[in-house]
Amino acid sequence: MSPLTPQQEADLVAAIRQAELATSGEIRVHLEDDCPTPEPMDRAAQVFSQLGMHRTAQRNGVLFYVAWQTRQFAVIGDAGINAAVPDDFWERTKELVLDSFRRQQYVQGLQQGIQLAGEQLRRYFPYDAATDQNELDDSISYGAPKPPRP
């Protein structure tokens, strides 16, 4: 069962598309019930790889990872964007999103984080009409649902 309504999912996809308009960067959101690793950042790295996000030409993918039932969150960027943004960018972005989560404003928190990531991507990886293509799907990806308890 998705924690998002169809409208909320559409709103997040719209935020991703808006953030990607003026950049070659790529943003994804991945949701799953539980984080199967002790650290959500480790799981985010696994999902990042599974989604092929490391295959972007400029290594400028960004993943927002949410384990919604266990209330865990991570944001991770590929090598290209990591090298460009300020050292505290990911932590500041994570805290901004978590602040909204604490107020139970989950979609708004993700939208704000996506917007921040998009601003940095536009700054360091501007859109080039001659070469840019949407390298990754903009849809929300989902982990396998947790099996029901007996």
Side-chain angles (χ1 to χ4, degrees):
M1 180 175 116
S2 170
L4 301 174
T5 67
Q7 184 59 57
Q8 289 171 324
E9 187 166 327
D11 290 347
L12 285 176
V13 170
I16 291 168
R17 290 184 176 146
Q18 181 65 37
E20 290 181 355
L21 274 181
T23 178
S24 64
E26 299 289 339
I27 300 171
R28 297 286 315 259
V29 173
H30 182 84
L31 302 173
E32 59 189 1
D33 293 349
D34 299 309
C35 182
T37 61
E39 290 294 324
M41 192 63 136
D42 293 340
R43 178 62 179 154
Q46 290 172 352
V47 170
F48 195 95
S49 178
Q50 289 168 358
L51 294 175
M53 294 185 69
H54 59 288
R55 293 190 191 112
T56 60
Q58 295 185 298
R59 302 289 305 267
N60 56 2
V62 176
L63 175 67
F64 290 83
Y65 169 81
V66 180
W68 64 279
Q69 286 188 341
T70 54
R71 300 181 177 269
Q72 292 168 290
F73 172 74
V75 58
I76 186 172
D78 206 348
I81 186 67
N82 276 343
V85 295
D87 290 341
D88 65 342
F89 175 72
W90 300 116
E91 189 61 30
R92 284 187 297 115
T93 302
K94 180 178 133 184
E95 286 306 314
L96 174 85
V97 173
L98 288 175
D99 187 52
S100 290
F101 283 10
R102 287 181 196 106
R103 294 189 311 272
Q104 298 182 351
Q105 297 174 338
Y106 305 107
V107 173
Q108 297 90 334
L110 286 169
Q111 288 171 318
Q112 289 176 326
I114 290 165
Q115 180 183 353
L116 277 179
E119 290 168 4
Q120 293 299 307
L121 287 166
R122 278 192 296 279
R123 179 176 181 185
Y124 297 110
F125 300 94
Y127 176 78
D128 180 348
T131 60
D132 192 55
Q133 61 181 6
N134 193 5
E135 296 177 89
L136 298 173
D137 189 344
D138 295 333
S139 66
I140 309 303
S141 61
Y142 291 92
K146 185 170 65 171
R149 293 183 184 181

